[in-house]
Amino acid sequence: MDNSVSMTNLVERLHAEGCSCVIFNHGEVSCCRERGVRDLLHLLKTDRSRLDGAAVADKVVGKGAAALMLLGGVKAVYADVISEPALELFEGSGVEVSFGKRVPNIINRAGTGVCPVETLCRDCLTAEECLPLIERFVEEMSRKNK
């Protein structure tokens, strides 16, 4: 990571600007604002180089977000909240992971159960296995919200 931007700077920006996640790569800092994994999936599919070697500060990282970050080649991640399944997926990947709070699972927005993406990816052993499930989920949600 460039010395001019530390993970602490990214976390400060994450909170100050109300971003869902902040990405630093190629000397640029960008702020994502979509909910869930949409921004990460979009970058992975359209501009993977923005993720490759990046440092990411994110509010919530579940197994789905972890999978997308791994597939994109992210090198360092900070999460305000991270799930145990996400940490397990990151294990042995070489990604530098730090967090504020570790939880058994990410909870859905309604607070009534486990996040649907976390549930979808529950039995996946690799990031590659998670990708088609996440793509299908985001596609279905986009159709419902039109």
Side-chain angles (χ1 to χ4, degrees), residues 61 79-84 86-87 90 97 99 101-103 106:
V61 175
D80 283 341
V81 177
I82 194 165
S83 72
E84 290 175 6
L87 283 169
F90 278 126
V97 179
F99 54 89
K101 183 179 181 182
R102 175 185 187 148
V103 295
I106 302 303

Side-chain angles (χ1 to χ4, degrees), residues 22-69:
V22 176
I23 301 168
F24 175 75
N25 204 4
H26 308 298
E28 292 183 26
V29 177
S30 52
C31 183
C32 299
R33 300 197 182 275
E34 290 284 332
R35 294 168 77 173
V37 296
R38 287 180 193 275
D39 283 320
L40 290 171
L41 181 60
H42 178 74
L43 285 173
L44 183 67
K45 293 173 95 174
T46 63
D47 192 5
R48 182 176 256 156
S49 68
R50 294 270 313 283
L51 294 174
D52 191 23
V56 177
D58 202 322
K59 288 186 177 173
V60 178
V61 175
K63 191 170 183 177
L68 297 174
M69 290 180 197

Side-chain angles (χ1 to χ4, degrees), residues 43-140:
L43 285 173
L44 183 67
K45 293 173 95 174
T46 63
D47 192 5
R48 182 176 256 156
S49 68
R50 294 270 313 283
L51 294 174
D52 191 23
V56 177
D58 202 322
K59 288 186 177 173
V60 178
V61 175
K63 191 170 183 177
L68 297 174
M69 290 180 197
L70 285 168
L71 292 169
V74 167
K75 294 296 180 211
V77 175
Y78 165 82
D80 283 341
V81 177
I82 194 165
S83 72
E84 290 175 6
L87 283 169
E88 289 169 12
L89 197 59
F90 278 126
E91 214 169 86
S93 68
V95 175
E96 183 183 319
V97 179
S98 57
F99 54 89
K101 183 179 181 182
R102 175 185 187 148
V103 295
N105 289 290
I106 302 303
I107 301 303
N108 64 24
R109 288 189 188 105
T112 58
V114 176
C115 161
V117 174
E118 187 103 326
T119 300
L120 278 176
C121 297
R122 176 183 46 228
D123 297 328
C124 297
L125 300 177
T126 66
E128 291 79 9
E129 289 178 58
C130 296
L131 183 59
L133 302 176
I134 296 167
E135 287 174 324
R136 198 168 326 133
F137 175 79
V138 169
E139 196 175 292
E140 287 172 10

